[in-house]
């Protein structure tokens, strides 16, 4: 273990790495149920397809994470990317409208996009082209990626991570902590909007999240490396107790009726290597190529941004802002996407929630290996992962986001060439919800400033592209 993962060289231990891997898993376990929900319309397009995507989510995530652990020896975890999965679902719906095929047939056609994207990325990664793109990002812009991701994590934790469906709008759309609870003029306004039961759940969520956050902070100040994991556990217990006492809900009721048998048969029947190229090309060559390029661009900058930002926070970059074994990390990401396409899910990418594990002390592939094993185990114990309350993961996301803001100390705000791109990324990332879009905004602004100030030669040709 020591020899393979080089624990002493990276200043870590087996215990620390395992705790870090568990922490990462708990912050991103929501994807196990949310991904099949998003890709199948919350089961509206068939429970068998939901089961197939659930299996694909667990398997593809595990394989990609294992590659990250053994090829790159990095603590980063992968899963079907948020945003990309929603976009994939929209594409499937459009294919249904264009071709008249069933949702399942259109889903199989859309998987062709993910397969081609993954193969293209694998080739680009092996040929070091993706790594060259990373190196083309100016150092000043790279400094801003980590704190921008931090703001995005805080925005997720306080904004979209917990959506409460309440009677106030007939359970049609969710109410959110920051927009609705803290955004209300007075408590009575949001209470009237949500209804008594929904408002009680909202208060429980807010209290739980902030108690968890401050437990993490206090333990972190005392130097407890497992502070994030312990804080999430405390928050979970408080939320479960609150559900039982104030809402009369048994938080573990789902475990009693849950199915523990892995639905291998559904995956084999519907999504395992079920590529419908004939159906895919019915949408037209131009549309097909456009979709492939769109997925490629979004995934590329999301992955690069997450790797660079999280590695910077963990001190895994050199004085040039470069991360060792970047090529291997990018290859792992590409393999995860190919496996995802073959098993039946949208693009697999490196998750920003990996930052929680890094903050817990994760520095090597052993942390990733731990996370991967847990994803694989979820094929059999998915109901257990489902009981982790979103309020607890919000506490972890907010805390890690705050810490990642420390990266701003590396930015020279007296230098307009750095200040403008970084400032645009800081606001662009949480507002757009896309790492890739925000980096693109930063790169474009950097290039324009350099070109029109007579310093165009300082801009890499790849950065201009």
């Amino acid at each position: 273990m020591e020899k393979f993962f080089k624990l002493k060289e990276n200043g870590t231990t087996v215990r620390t790495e395992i705790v870090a891997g568990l922490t990462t898993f708990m912050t991103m376990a929501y994807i196990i149920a949310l991904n099949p929900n998003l890709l199948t319309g919350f089961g509206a397009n068939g429970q068998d397809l939901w089961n197939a995507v659930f299996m694909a989510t667990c398997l593809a995530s595990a394989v990609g994470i294992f590659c990250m652990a053994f090829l790159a020896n990095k603590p980063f975890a992968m899963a079907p990317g948020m945003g990309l999965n929603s976009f994939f679902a929209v594409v499937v719906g459009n294919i249904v409208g264009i071709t008249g095929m069933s949702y399942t047939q259109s889903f199989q056609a859309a998987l062709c996009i993910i397969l081609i994207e993954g193969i293209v990325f694998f080739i680009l990664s092996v040929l070091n082209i993706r790594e060259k793109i990373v190196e083309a990002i100016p150092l000043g812009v790279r400094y801003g990626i980590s704190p921008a991701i931090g703001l995005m994590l805080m925005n997720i934790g306080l904004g979209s991570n917990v959506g409460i469906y309440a009677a106030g709008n007939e359970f049609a759309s969710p109410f959110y902590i920051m927009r609705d609870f803290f955004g209300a003029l007075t408590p009575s306004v949001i209470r009237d909007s949500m209804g008594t039961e929904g408002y009680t759940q909202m208060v429980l969520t807010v209290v739980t999240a902030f108690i968890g956050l401050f437990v993490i902070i206090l333990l972190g100040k005392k130097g407890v490396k497992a502070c994030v994991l312990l804080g999430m556990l405390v928050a979970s217990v408080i939320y479960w107790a609150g559900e039982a006492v104030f809402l009369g809900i048994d938080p573990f009721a789902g475990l009693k009726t849950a199915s523990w048998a892995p639905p291998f048969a559904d995956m084999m029947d519907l999504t395992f290597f079920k590529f419908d190229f004939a159906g895919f090309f019915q949408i037209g060559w131009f549309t097909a190529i456009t979709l492939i390029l769109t997925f490629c661009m979004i995934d590329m900058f999301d992955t690069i941004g997450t790797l660079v930002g999280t590695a910077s926070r963990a001190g895994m970059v050199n004085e040039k802002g470069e991360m060792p074994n970047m090529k291997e990390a990018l290859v792992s990401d590409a393999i995860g996407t190919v496996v995802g396409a073959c098993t039946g899910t949208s693009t697999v990418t490196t998750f920003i929630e990996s930052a929680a594990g890094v903050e817990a002390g994760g520095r090597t592939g052993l942390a990733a290996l731990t996370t991967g094993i847990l994803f694989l185990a979820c094929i059999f114990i998915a109901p257990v992962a489902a009981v982790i309350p979103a309020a607890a993961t919000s506490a972890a996301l907010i805390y890690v986001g705050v810490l990642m803001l420390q990266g701003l100390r590396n930015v020279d705000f007296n230098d307009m060439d750095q200040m403008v791109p970084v400032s645009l990324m800081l606001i662009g990332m949480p507002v757009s919800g896309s790492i890739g879009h925000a980096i693109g905004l930063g790169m474009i602004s950097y290039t324009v400033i350099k070109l029109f100030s007579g310093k165009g030669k300082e801009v890499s040709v790849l950065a201009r592209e």
Side-chain angles (χ1 to χ4, degrees):
M1 194 79 73
E2 160 61 38
K3 200 170 182 181
F4 188 87
F5 291 110
K6 301 177 182 177
L7 301 179
K8 288 184 180 178
E9 180 181 321
N10 288 280
T12 186
T13 64
V14 171
R15 179 182 177 279
T16 297
E17 293 296 298
I18 291 176
V19 168
L22 179 57
T23 301
T24 295
F25 173 76
M26 289 186 67
T27 58
M28 60 186 291
Y30 66 86
I31 197 65
I32 295 169
L34 183 57
N35 191 55
N37 279 344
L38 291 174
L39 295 189
T40 66
F42 288 79
N45 292 290
Q47 183 61 42
D48 50 355
L49 182 59
W50 193 100
N51 292 338
V53 177
F54 159 75
M55 288 292 297
T57 300
C58 294
L59 289 173
S61 300
V63 171
I65 295 170
F66 290 153
C67 289
M68 184 69 74
F70 294 115
L71 296 180
N73 193 26
K74 298 299 180 188
F76 308 126
M78 284 178 275
M82 288 300 296
L84 285 165
N85 50 14
S86 298
F87 182 43
F88 181 86
V90 171
V91 169
V92 174
N94 288 339
I95 293 176
V96 171
I98 293 171
T99 64
M101 297 190 298
S102 69
Y103 190 89
T104 298
Q105 290 175 310
S106 300
F107 190 94
Q108 294 167 344
L111 287 176
C112 300
I113 302 173
I114 309 304
L115 177 66
I116 296 170
E117 176 207 345
I119 293 173
V120 169
F121 271 176
F122 181 79
I123 294 172
L124 293 179
S125 299
V126 169
L127 297 178
N128 292 328
I129 296 175
R130 287 180 82 186
E131 191 173 7
K132 293 296 182 184
I133 294 173
V134 176
E135 294 172 358
I137 299 175
L139 185 59
V141 175
R142 287 190 221 177
Y143 284 149
I145 293 175
S146 178
I149 290 177
L151 285 179
M152 183 175 175
L153 286 174
M154 293 173 66
N155 186 52
I156 293 171
L158 287 168
S160 61
N161 191 49
V162 184
I164 296 175
Y165 289 83
N169 59 7
E170 299 180 348
F171 304 95
S173 59
F175 292 87
Y176 294 109
I177 293 176
M178 185 57 70
R179 186 193 71 186
D180 299 300
F181 184 78
F182 288 112
L185 294 175
T186 64
S188 61
V189 171
I190 186 63
R191 186 188 300 111
D192 293 341
S193 298
M194 298 187 71
T196 303
E197 186 173 337
Y199 178 73
T200 302
Q201 185 181 0
M202 175 65 84
V203 172
L204 175 61
T205 297
V206 172
V207 170
T208 299
F210 278 93
I211 289 178
L213 173 62
F214 289 117
V215 168
I216 294 172
I217 292 172
L218 293 174
L219 291 176
K221 286 178 65 68
K222 292 182 178 295
V224 179
K225 286 192 174 182
C227 62
V228 177
L229 178 59
L230 292 173
M232 289 176 66
L233 290 174
V234 169
S236 296
V237 171
I238 292 173
Y239 190 85
W240 294 330
E243 278 190 314
V245 173
F246 299 109
L247 297 173
I249 296 174
D250 179 359
F252 308 109
L255 299 179
K256 300 173 185 176
T257 57
S259 173
W260 302 86
F264 281 107
D266 290 329
M267 183 182 71
M268 299 302 293
D269 289 342
L270 297 178
T271 61
F272 191 70
F273 281 90
K274 299 295 193 230
F275 299 109
D276 186 356
F277 283 97
F280 172 57
F281 287 115
Q282 285 187 45
I283 65 177
W285 283 96
F286 179 78
T287 302
I289 293 173
T290 300
L291 286 173
I292 292 170
L293 290 176
T294 301
F295 272 95
C296 282
M297 293 302 296
I298 295 173
D299 184 28
M300 178 178 292
F301 283 105
D302 276 1
T303 301
I304 288 172
T306 302
L307 289 173
V308 172
T310 308
S312 298
R313 170 63 196 165
M316 296 179 184
V317 296
N318 57 26
E319 64 280 356
K320 296 181 180 179
E322 300 169 345
M323 184 185 83
N325 295 340
M326 175 64 82
K327 174 182 176 180
E328 289 79 1
L330 294 172
V331 167
S332 301
D333 180 84
I335 292 173
T337 294
V338 172
V339 173
C342 294
T343 53
T345 186
S346 55
T347 304
V348 173
T349 188
T350 306
F351 256 52
I352 56 175
E353 282 84 353
S354 301
V358 167
E359 197 53 45
R363 293 296 181 271
T364 73
L366 181 55
L369 177 62
T370 302
T371 306
I373 290 173
L374 291 170
F375 264 100
L376 202 57
C378 274
I379 294 173
F380 305 94
I381 60 170
V384 175
V387 301
I388 301 172
T393 61
S394 285
L397 294 175
I398 296 168
Y399 174 72
V400 174
V402 169
L403 293 181
M404 293 185 80
L405 288 177
Q406 294 176 352
L408 287 174
R409 65 184 172 214
N410 298 318
V411 179
D412 183 1
F413 280 97
N414 292 316
D415 181 0
M416 192 71 72
D417 295 351
Q418 285 191 34
M419 183 189 73
V420 173
V422 170
S423 297
L424 290 174
M425 284 196 300
L426 287 173
I427 189 65
M429 209 169 287
V431 169
S432 70
S434 169
I435 296 173
H437 290 167
I439 293 177
L441 189 61
M443 292 288 290
I444 291 170
S445 61
Y446 176 86
T447 302
V448 170
I449 291 172
K450 285 292 188 181
L451 289 176
F452 285 92
S453 58
K455 300 178 182 178
K457 293 182 180 180
E458 297 180 16
V459 182
S460 165
V461 174
L462 288 174
R464 295 178 200 175
E465 296 297 325

